[in-house]
Amino acid sequence: MTSDPPARRPSRPRAIPADASGDAGFDDILQLLGEQLGEAAQTADPRTRRKLKHVSFEYEADHRAVHDMAGDAGYSLASNWFTQLLAQLAVANSITKSQLCVFLYVAGGQARGTGIARYTQQEITDGLNRLAEKQGGKKITRSTVNRAIRALCGYNWVEQLGNGLIQLNVRLWFHGNSNAQHAVLDELATQHNHDLDAFPNSIGPEQVQGELDLDFDQQTRYGKRRRTG
């Protein structure tokens, strides 16, 4: 999504399960085997009991396809509902082009497992303008980026953490596995006192919670909000 990923990961502590040991993941199997062996031992004649010296496991190789993605910045997971909503909002001119560009740039730069992008507004401005130069497109100003960030915060798509850190709404777009996402969601809920109307809930603009049903022949619903960027 962006050619300029963050230089280093944010240092915010987060509870992400990690299994570094090669023996991790066998607990359930060993517990089940232990229960079965225990039941067998209770029913067996005590005089014929023998000690279990060795148990071995053999697994077939698990050949999984590797994602083939463009570029070298990895990939993210996005809500299908949100990506369709994003397209609908853009067509209906309910969000500006600058807001869309800033959001996509930030979303593509989040550090894995955190939902956090380490960007200042000037870095976002410079990054978008480098892309604009390559395509011969219109450049964006820092003040436009500032307005876009404020609007995106109002939509609950992002949240500013200060010190050049931007928190993505990880229910909409996340780079990482499900365990990491739930850890981030738990942390955000605690930070906002479990308020159902606070970030990352009540997704806007205008508190949109369901799919938009747009009539492309009649755009009076959004006529008062038409903008071009």
Side-chain angles (χ1 to χ4, degrees), residues 188-200:
L188 292 174
T190 300
Q191 291 173 354
H192 293 282
N193 298 318
H194 301 275
D195 184 354
L196 296 181
D197 291 326
F199 183 87

Side-chain angles (χ1 to χ4, degrees), residues 16-25 179:
I16 303 176
D19 291 325
S21 171
D23 293 331
N179 287 338

Side-chain angles (χ1 to χ4, degrees), residues 162-178:
N163 299 321
L165 299 179
I166 300 175
Q167 172 71 63
L168 269 293
N169 185 331
V170 298
R171 297 181 64 227
L172 305 181
W173 204 304
F174 187 63
H175 180 34
N177 61 36
S178 58

Side-chain angles (χ1 to χ4, degrees), residues 40-62:
Q42 290 176 4
T43 58
D45 187 336
R47 293 170 297 179
T48 61
R49 291 179 183 173
R50 304 180 65 183
K51 292 182 179 180
L52 180 66
K53 285 189 174 182
H54 179 72
V55 177
S56 63
F57 300 92
E58 292 185 6
Y59 296 91
E60 293 184 357
D62 185 8

Side-chain angles (χ1 to χ4, degrees), residues 79-138:
S79 158
N80 288 337
W81 169 84
F82 178 66
T83 51
Q84 288 188 326
L85 172 65
L86 204 59
Q88 290 173 318
L89 291 173
V91 169
N93 290 311
S94 286
I95 57 174
T96 67
K97 293 178 181 178
S98 58
Q99 292 168 12
L100 181 59
C101 289
V102 169
F103 175 77
L104 293 177
Y105 188 87
V106 172
Q110 60 181 291
R112 181 177 178 84
T114 67
I116 293 176
R118 183 181 290 274
Y119 288 129
T120 64
Q121 291 184 6
Q122 187 60 54
E123 288 173 334
I124 296 172
T125 304
D126 294 340
L128 288 174
N129 284 337
R130 281 194 293 271
L131 295 176
E133 289 177 358
K134 293 179 181 179
Q135 300 298 324
K138 177 183 177 181

